[in-house]
Amino acid sequence: MAYDLITMGRIGVDLYPLQTGVPLPQVTSFGKFLGGSATNVAVAAARLGRDTAVITRTGEDPFGEYLHQALRDFGVDDRWVTPVPGLATPITFCEVFPPDDFPLYFYRRPKAPDLEIDAHELDLEAIREARVFWVTGTGLSEEPSRTATLAALAHRAKVGITVFDLDWRPMFWSDPAAARSFYEEALRHTTVAVGNLDEVEVATGVREPHAAAQALLAAGVELAVVKQGPKGVLAVHRDGTTAEVPPLPVNVLNGLGAGDAFGGSLCHGLLEGWDLERTMRHANAAGAIVASRLECSSAMPTAQEIEAAVTAGEVR
């Protein structure tokens, strides 16, 4: 069976405070959620009716068991989620200070299991046959995940839709200055690049959105998607088609996970063959809906919720 979407990258447990506007030392209660960017994208697309799977690794511990259970509950195939003995399943804490301050605290040391993905264990034929394959910048930060990510991209050889989520997390790199060369190599094998202004600058050295989009196209992709925060999103296709879509008005509760909802909806729109502006409007709406909710994975919207937000022009 060919999947609509296979993602490859981070997984973990999000422990989010159930109190907003309270610093972590004073928080008294937390909610436990499935997390990790690539995993959340698979969940978001599954919520939209897509057949999805994720390639990642967990610790051999109760939190790892929880993640398998959560993936199955969300309808995401977990066959390529394997344990790494001796490493703990990552945990991420955040603080919630709406509307725009959500500090993250990653517990991924001495090493996150999802960075132990090995090229020799990949199902390369399944990766090649998937309609969309999604990788992240974090997967390039350490070996053996770096080699596995690039091997998967090289084997896929731009068949179908291959998305590189630039996903820049400098704290995951022992030498952040070394990232650009690996980003450039990944871009040569991908058809779609997605990133915010900081991320496109890491990948291309350019920060101005239109220039950065052109630099991503020059690096080899067919579609460059540049998230501009409060200015919305810019998408530029190699054929000259451009869409620049403003954000939807929303009362933000927790901005974390909005980008993953955007990614899942982006994949859905590309698979549906929608025009670029419609795809961006729906992806923007998906992200805005999640920003209005506390959690990430379990907050991913349905197609009906996204359509309602697009029609209303806001998240109600």
Side-chain angles (χ1 to χ4, degrees):
M1 164 184 128
Y3 291 88
D4 289 327
L5 170 65
I6 296 177
T7 68
M8 179 173 170
R10 289 206 312 277
I11 195 170
V13 176
D14 289 343
L15 293 177
Y16 285 0
L18 300 181
Q19 301 146 279
T20 62
V22 178
L24 275 181
Q26 280 73 55
V27 172
T28 58
S29 57
F30 296 85
K32 180 182 68 179
F33 307 100
L34 170 73
S37 179
T39 303
N40 281 340
V41 170
V43 171
R47 188 63 59 86
L48 297 174
R50 296 297 175 181
D51 293 320
T52 71
V54 60
I55 301 168
T56 190
R57 307 198 72 181
T58 70
E60 200 169 47
D61 53 27
F63 274 142
E65 295 173 15
Y66 160 71
L67 294 176
H68 278 279
Q69 176 186 324
L71 285 168
R72 292 191 291 266
D73 288 346
F74 286 125
V76 177
D77 196 322
D78 64 344
R79 70 181 62 194
W80 296 305
V81 182
T82 57
V84 180
L87 292 180
T89 298
I91 295 173
T92 303
F93 288 93
C94 81
E95 293 175 301
V96 181
F97 297 104
D100 58 3
D101 187 19
F102 309 102
L104 279 169
Y105 303 91
F106 293 98
Y107 289 76
R108 291 171 57 87
R109 295 298 177 190
K111 189 175 187 180
D114 54 62
L115 293 173
E116 283 292 322
I117 299 171
D118 192 287
H120 299 95
E121 298 171 353
L122 296 175
D123 187 337
L124 292 174
E125 289 314 301
I127 289 170
R128 186 175 176 85
E129 291 171 4
R131 297 177 69 193
V132 181
F133 180 53
W134 178 288
V135 300
T136 75
T138 294
L140 300 173
S141 64
E142 288 192 40
E143 295 289 5
S145 172
R146 177 184 300 148
T147 293
T149 299
L150 294 174
L153 289 172
H155 185 83
R156 185 165 169 86
K158 292 192 175 183
V159 170
I161 301 164
T162 306
V163 184
F164 180 24
D165 174 7
L166 302 180
D167 185 39
W168 173 241
R169 305 282 182 174
M171 72 286 291
F172 295 165
W173 291 76
S174 58
D175 180 11
R180 183 169 300 162
S181 63
F182 298 115
Y183 274 58
E184 289 172 346
E185 184 172 353
L187 287 168
R188 286 196 291 271
H189 297 291
T190 53
T191 62
V192 181
V194 183
N196 61 31
L197 295 179
D198 290 337
E199 291 166 339
V200 297
E201 185 175 21
V202 168
T204 68
V206 181
R207 188 173 183 87
E208 195 281 321
H210 290 269
Q214 292 301 323
L216 290 169
L217 295 177
V221 306
E222 299 295 318
L223 174 63
V225 180
V226 182
K227 301 175 192 175
Q228 305 177 82
K231 291 186 178 180
V233 61
L234 168 69
V236 182
H237 195 278
R238 182 176 295 280
D239 66 8
T241 306
T242 299
E244 193 157 11
V245 177
L248 256 62
V250 58
N251 291 321
V252 175
L253 176 60
N254 184 357
L256 303 174
D260 303 331
F262 180 101
S265 183
L266 169 66
C267 292
H268 179 66
L270 293 173
L271 287 168
E272 286 291 300
W274 290 345
D275 64 62
L276 196 54
E277 181 162 340
R278 182 181 180 186
T279 299
M280 292 303 112
R281 288 193 182 280
H282 279 70
N284 253 1
I289 290 168
V290 171
S292 73
R293 299 169 176 175
L294 174 65
E295 62 273 23
C296 293
S297 52
S298 56
M300 295 301 170
T302 65
Q304 292 76 17
E305 289 173 320
I306 295 171
E307 192 64 51
V310 171
T311 300
E314 63 179 342
V315 177
R316 292 174 176 170

